[in-house]
Amino acid sequence: MQDSQKFIKNNEKAKRVKYIRSLEKFASVAVNTLKKDDFDKDKFKERMLKNMKFFEKNEAVILNANYAKSLENFVNACLDFSKEKSELLNLANALDKLKNKNKKEKHKNYLKDF
């Protein structure tokens, strides 16, 4: 019984990691496209629709971490197509700050023990 529970837990973790990685890949492409000097909204829309393939292999899972939720919200905002470039860049910058903040806190907590 315990082995099957362990397998299920590992399988859920693997699904979560794959989903987050596909969100990060999508977000990376979106940010790079948004930061181009010759940004074109139509080309951006076309590229985002093309890059939805990242999600075809991985089913969506429920995310609890702040960074993961923000990442998912950014991806959904990119797929909304009603948002302006400046709005999306603001969301991308906030996401980057959140990611860097989490890394720093993780290391600070590690050093507190010493």
Side-chain angles (χ1 to χ4, degrees), residues 74-85:
F74 174 71
V75 169
N76 288 332
C78 287
L79 293 172
D80 185 6
F81 303 122
S82 66
K83 306 262 188 220
E84 292 297 318
K85 176 185 175 181

Side-chain angles (χ1 to χ4, degrees), residues 91-112:
L91 288 172
N93 289 336
L95 182 65
D96 194 42
K97 283 181 183 177
L98 186 62
K99 183 177 182 178
N100 290 334
K101 182 182 176 187
N102 284 345
K103 284 182 183 178
K104 288 177 185 175
E105 286 178 1
K106 182 178 177 181
H107 293 292
K108 283 181 183 177
N109 289 337
Y110 169 74
L111 294 174
K112 277 184 180 179

Side-chain angles (χ1 to χ4, degrees), residues 45-91:
K45 183 177 180 179
E46 182 183 318
R47 185 122 190 223
M48 294 304 100
L49 291 173
K50 179 183 172 189
N51 286 321
M52 283 181 62
K53 68 181 179 214
F54 292 134
F55 305 109
E56 290 174 0
K57 296 178 185 175
N58 305 313
E59 64 183 75
V61 295
I62 297 171
L63 302 172
N64 297 323
N66 287 338
Y67 169 71
K69 284 182 192 176
S70 297
L71 182 63
E72 190 174 45
N73 290 338
F74 174 71
V75 169
N76 288 332
C78 287
L79 293 172
D80 185 6
F81 303 122
S82 66
K83 306 262 188 220
E84 292 297 318
K85 176 185 175 181
S86 59
E87 274 183 276
L88 293 173
L89 282 172
N90 286 340
L91 288 172

